[in-house]
Amino acid sequence: MLTVKNISKIYGETIQYEALKDINFMIEEGEFVAIMGPSGSGKSTLLNILATIDTPTSGTVTLNEENPHQLNSEQIAVFRREKLGFVFQSFNLLPTLTVEENIVLPLTLSGESVRVMKRKVAEIAPKLGIEQLLHKRISEISGGQAQRVAVARAMIHHPQLVLADEPTGNLDTKASKDVMRLFKQLNEEEQATLLMVTHDPLSASYCRRILFIKDGKLISDIHQASTQEVFYQEIMQQLAHLEGINDEF
């Protein structure tokens, strides 16, 4: 469904920095994948390229055989709005709007009818446990609730791919677990395809698969084959290896 082929990204002209180096992977429809790696490894650059916020220096990204980087700016805006969903660490919700108005924003921008928007909100709000919050302002709800609203906004138009950038970064432990359980539920029950950048191994353990990046290179790719607890330990071992901790002993 998503194919990343020979992606490289170089910044600068006189002094060049290669943020990504020949990245290759595929994500099937319905997968729940995390990207992990040390600070400066290139994971955010990769996410920005997938989100069409940045462009690769070389290589191709295709989503269901469409390469968004070949589109003009107006077409890219439509592609991003209709085929991608976004969940950010800082929520990126509009404080002057109600919860419901924030959720339907992608549909509003696409010119959807009020009747359809109301129906879709009625469908998704109970799944995320926010049906009692629809008429509240963002300033009146908690951080965990705000992230649920952000997830609803990302899912309301049934995107082909949901991209999440450190979605639990501003949440406490309980709210983080609630949001990750929500992602897992959406993946399993709605077959949502999710790709998440995270530094948190506990959050990553809710995924089915982890891509590890270091120094702009894809180092390893592991799948959950047993329990979440076992997968968490595998993630910790991979992170220790990436940081060179295993080599110290």
Side-chain angles (χ1 to χ4, degrees):
M1 192 268 275
L2 175 69
T3 302
V4 175
K5 186 175 182 181
N6 304 128
I7 286 292
S8 295
K9 180 63 180 180
I10 299 173
Y11 292 104
E13 296 181 2
T14 304
I15 300 176
Q16 293 190 335
Y17 168 66
E18 192 171 14
L20 295 175
K21 306 171 184 177
D22 198 31
I23 299 288
N24 291 274
F25 65 87
M26 295 179 64
I27 293 178
E28 300 294 335
E29 186 174 356
E31 279 200 281
F32 186 8
V33 182
I35 301 173
M36 302 192 76
S39 296
S41 60
K43 54 187 186 293
S44 293
T45 299
L46 177 57
L47 190 71
N48 286 340
I49 288 174
L50 299 180
T52 69
I53 295 170
D54 204 349
T55 56
T57 303
S58 61
T60 59
V61 173
T62 55
L63 182 63
N64 287 325
E65 301 184 354
E66 183 176 13
N67 183 349
H69 298 291
Q70 293 180 336
L71 304 176
N72 62 38
S73 58
E74 184 176 327
Q75 292 170 328
I76 286 177
V78 173
F79 176 90
R80 191 182 298 149
R81 186 170 65 239
E82 296 183 351
K83 300 187 178 180
L84 301 178
F86 298 95
V87 181
F88 302 95
Q89 178 178 346
S90 57
F91 315 141
N92 279 24
L93 299 172
L94 299 178
T96 58
L97 301 182
T98 65
V99 165
E100 183 175 12
E101 288 167 343
N102 270 279
I103 292 172
V104 301
L105 191 57
L107 302 179
T108 303
L109 295 173
S110 296
E112 192 58 85
S113 69
V114 173
R115 179 180 57 83
V116 170
M117 289 192 284
K118 290 285 186 183
R119 175 175 58 80
K120 290 191 174 184
V121 168
E123 289 173 355
I124 198 168
K127 295 176 183 177
L128 305 186
I130 56 175
E131 64 269 33
Q132 303 302 319
L133 306 176
L134 294 177
H135 300 296
K136 290 183 176 292
R137 301 286 176 182
I138 301 303
S139 60
E140 299 175 317
I141 64 178
S142 69
Q145 290 171 332
Q147 196 59 298
R148 285 174 174 263
V149 174
V151 173
R153 181 187 58 190
M155 297 293 300
I156 190 73
H157 58 301
H158 299 289
Q160 295 177 14
L161 176 65
V162 176
L163 300 171
D165 186 9
E166 300 283 5
T168 61
N170 281 339
L171 304 178
D172 60 28
T173 301
K174 181 184 181 304
S176 295
K177 289 181 179 179
D178 288 345
V179 168
M180 292 313 302
R181 290 190 188 107
L182 177 60
F183 275 130
K184 186 175 182 180
Q185 176 186 340
L186 290 171
N187 173 249
E188 293 175 348
E189 297 180 5
E190 306 291 329
Q191 286 75 54
T193 306
L194 305 167
L195 180 62
M196 172 181 74
V197 164
T198 183
H199 69 280
D200 179 23
L202 181 57
S203 294
S205 70
Y206 285 84
C207 300
R208 297 182 183 180
R209 177 183 170 203
I210 316 288
L211 304 174
F212 292 92
I213 293 180
K214 182 178 181 180
D215 297 329
K217 296 180 180 179
L218 183 60
I219 302 298
S220 58
D221 181 349
I222 65 173
H223 293 72
Q224 183 177 156
S226 183
T227 64
Q228 183 179 353
E229 291 75 16
V230 171
F231 196 41
Y232 174 81
Q233 294 301 324
E234 291 178 14
I235 294 167
M236 293 298 291
Q237 291 170 6
Q238 287 286 333
L239 291 174
H241 177 68
L242 281 184
E243 297 285 1
I245 295 175
N246 293 341
D247 300 334
E248 300 290 331
F249 300 94

